[in-house]
Amino acid sequence: MVSVLIVEDDSAIRSALIRALTAGGHAVASAATGMAGLSSAVDGRPDVVVLDLGLPDIDGLRVLPMLRAVSSVPVIVATARDDERVIVQALDAGADDYLVKPFGAEQLEARIRAVLRRLATATPDASVTVGGLTVNPVTREVTVDGIPVELSRKEFDLLYLLAQRAGEVVTKREILAEVWRQTYGGGDRTVDVHLSWLRRKLGETAAAPRYLHSIRGVGIRLVDPSADSGTAAGGSASGSS
Amino acid sequence: MLRTRITWLAVGIISAVVVSFVIPLCLLVRTMVHDRAMAEARVLAQSTATLVASVDDLTRLAVVIDPVIQAAAASSAGPIHLCVTLPDGTRIGPADDGFDSDAAALIERAGTQSASFTQVTGESADVLTPVTVATGTVVVHTSTHFVYLQSRIWLVWATLAGLGAVIIGLGAFISRRMAERISTPVTEMADVAHRLREGDLSARAHTSAGASPTEVTELGTALNRLAARIAELLAGEREAAADLSHRLRTPVTALRLDTDLVADDAVRDRLRSHVEDLHRVIDSVVTEARRTSRDDMTAAGDLASVAAGRTAYWRPLAEDQDRSLAVEVPSTPVFVALPSADLRDLVDTLIDNVFAHTPEGTDLEVTVTATDGVARLAVADAGPGLASVDLVERGRSGNGGTGLGLDIVHRLADRAGGSVRLGRAHLGGLLVEVQLPHLPSAD
């Protein structure tokens, strides 16, 4: 059980979040203002804080450094502004992750899990290795057979997501939600284009894949090319609901 | 140009003043030169007459007179002819030189008179002085021909004209410098206005008092206030767009979270799909609101470089899908009245449409041309053309699944004063051609 503190001024969202997270088996506390949130974060010692940026009393971007001064609790920022600058500011101010409204309960839970997992595995070497491919999320460096590969931000995020779940089929919908924080998918070639670029940079093509295998109509699976490719496709493709 | 005009105006005024002084001065100089020569001729005639009267023996007169004649010919006031006619008709001095053909008549007339007289014509002045001696009347005739004086008059006139030219030149130089003090700040302000139009909202005119005329400084201050006001309004609009995003997304978030709690799977999925549609519409509304507040100030973007950049972005996917992506883009900039960000959306949407509505392996072609003031962006594919037209048209009307794509293209084309045409591509599939007015350059 994870204890979550929700700092959100909109009562409808607040109660919806409490209901959703409680249903998911979490202990949930909530605050409607930045000041109340700060004191709850200090007194209640939650495992994770979900912080809305648009608070009535203090801007969420100013709550972050105050919170960071007294606590190292992981913070997921929820914002209605998908402005890149705001998100970068929030991450720089100490947020661990972010969500753009509107989002679903599953997404929020996935973020909470991811943040806590990162916290648990925050060892000096957190890199993921699949065959000759090494992805280091701390230094954001990628090597293939020891040779460094230059990736753009989104390309890195995409590869890291796939590498973390090596052998599993990851749906494009999941990728859009995880990497692009878009809850609605479809009609958009963004993932495809980035995958193609990623293939180029890893030195492979769709016709002759090594690490990145497209499963038509389902998603993408990252595999270790040195292992036998005849193993069953990952079973956790979570449909397209 | 303002500076040239002011300079020419000043030169015109100075020239009028100089000419109105120089011309009377030139006439005055001529009269003075003539008068001086005449006065000299009179003095010479007078002194010669005195000399003649003092000589007893007229036969010796020639010897006395000759040096005087020489001296008179070299007079500082111009050459003066001296001729003395004795009572017996003998002449001492140069013979009639042809200029005064009526000299004989004049001498005759002087012989009958007792008083000296002067005759002035347009070409010469003659002074005749009769001297009564024992044997009759001796006529002393001095004459000066103006034609001999003309060269000195020309010299003076040339000097005056030169001086006049120097004054005009100096005037032109000074007025140009003064005109610069007006025109340079005005040009700078025009530059600031251009930069503002291009979206550089930090552009401000220099308004240091004293450097330029008060009116110009005032204009600069007004321009700066206008720029500040524009920046303020744009910031307000951006704020409004951000606020709109916040106000729309907050209730949808609550809705989205609550749909997760619906127990019935079928109903929950339907609700989620509705919320996603709503989300998409809100995204496009917010994007559109932001677009307006962003581009009202920025004008031009280079269609050629954007098209080249975006096709390079799409190329790996085209290769992975076995599509040949032909790109024909001029190497020179093709400026149109849309900022680069919107041009990117335009090109991306058109290419995305091809990828969305044609099977893998379908070739496509992106062409940019600029002729006769029209920039054309054409995206053609080798897909099942008419079916694509249907899809795209359905997209335009907004009730198709992926919907909003071509709508954005139409809106962006409208904004830049252009149009969108759908047709059959020579590759066999759909051709979407966007025509936009070609701006001469983005100076």
Side-chain angles (χ1 to χ4, degrees), chain B residues 346 350 406 409-411 413-414 418-422 432-435:
Chain B
L346 186 68
L350 291 178
L406 214 69
V409 173
H410 275 276
R411 235 189 329 240
D414 284 350
S419 59
V420 182
R421 197 174 63 85
L422 300 183
V432 184
E433 188 179 82
V434 181
Q435 302 196 345

Side-chain angles (χ1 to χ4, degrees), chain B residues 323 350 353-354 357-359 361-365 378-392 421-433:
Chain B
R323 297 168 184 264
L350 291 178
N353 255 317
V354 175
H357 300 305
T358 62
T362 306
D363 295 348
L364 69 154
E365 190 181 86
V379 177
D381 67 65
L386 289 177
S388 309
V389 173
D390 283 352
L391 274 171
V392 169
R421 197 174 63 85
L422 300 183
R424 182 176 280 279
H426 68 93
L427 292 174
L430 177 72
L431 166 75
V432 184
E433 188 179 82

Side-chain angles (χ1 to χ4, degrees), chain A residues 41 89 201 234 241:
Chain A
Q89 275 175 10
K201 293 184 176 176
S241 63

